[in-house]
Amino acid sequence: MCDKIKINLVVNGEPVTFEVQPHVSLLRALRDNYYYDVKCGCEEGDCGTCTVLLDGIATKSCITLAAACEGHEVWTDKGLGYNDALAARLQAAFVECGSIQCGFCSPGMIVAGVHYLKHGGKADRRAIKRSISGNLCRCTGYVKIVDAIYKVAQEIERGALA
Ligand code: FES
Ligand code: FES
């Protein structure tokens, strides 16, 4: 068993220190520190349910070493919902569009959608599908997830959202 190391990072706007073994993923470090909204699926980089924003970029936390996140900024779906108007609007749109069934994929899908919309993503269904191509859903068939991101993209284009 390796000795634990301390890593300092900012999660959902709060400075935190995690004590982790050097091989531990960011996903495991987050969940060991009660960030349970970051879901644990395949842990192999395939399903996307563990997606967080790492310095603003949608990132699969299961294939990111926690130790590599020293000094970096992480946002989870829950933290975004409380602190970011666009993310809160997208969460609401997921409800309005019926984009959630079991909900296991939803945090990762929403983080991927936030990344898309914050990087100038348009109301373009094909581009939206590409933006969530790293995220799997076993329930909804994706159409309603795309609908929710499309709806918010339209609102941004109309100037209804900053
Ligand atoms: S748990 Fe990270 S991609 Fe599946
Ligand atoms: S809503 Fe169940 S996996 Fe997507």
Side-chain angles (χ1 to χ4, degrees):
M1 185 87 74
C2 302
D3 288 340
K4 288 188 173 180
I5 57 172
K6 287 187 179 181
I7 56 166
N8 302 296
L9 61 169
V10 178
V11 180
N12 295 338
E14 301 280 341
V16 295
T17 300
F18 294 162
E19 288 193 34
V20 298
Q21 291 184 323
H23 65 277
V24 162
S25 69
L26 176 61
L27 169 63
R28 285 285 163 191
L30 287 167
R31 289 186 61 86
D32 286 351
N33 286 278
Y34 311 108
Y35 295 92
Y36 294 132
D37 57 312
V38 186
K39 299 302 179 198
C40 179
C42 64
E43 290 198 83
E44 293 182 346
D46 292 328
C47 74
T49 197
C50 65
T51 304
V52 296
L53 290 186
L54 178 60
D55 296 336
I57 304 296
T59 300
K60 292 177 178 178
S61 60
C62 71
I63 52 171
T64 302
L65 277 176
C69 297
E70 169 72 32
H72 292 271
E73 182 182 54
V74 173
W75 285 92
T76 73
D77 174 51
K78 185 175 176 181
L80 284 167
Y82 282 123
N83 291 281
D84 185 287
L86 187 150
R89 178 66 198 109
L90 184 59
Q91 290 174 349
F94 264 60
V95 175
E96 292 160 9
C97 295
S99 316
I100 301 168
Q101 288 187 25
C102 80
F104 193 73
C105 71
S106 306
M109 286 288 188
I110 290 168
V111 172
V114 167
H115 173 110
Y116 176 74
L117 295 168
K118 281 185 177 291
H119 288 80
K122 301 293 182 206
D124 174 336
R125 289 183 182 278
R126 186 175 294 203
I128 292 169
K129 285 181 192 171
R130 272 201 302 274
S131 76
I132 58 166
S133 61
N135 295 66
L136 301 179
C137 176
R138 290 302 171 97
C139 304
T140 67
Y142 300 98
V143 172
K144 293 178 178 181
I145 293 169
V146 173
D147 286 348
I149 301 171
Y150 185 86
K151 183 175 186 175
V152 177
Q154 280 190 315
E155 291 172 3
I156 293 170
E157 288 177 13
R158 284 203 308 271
L161 267 178

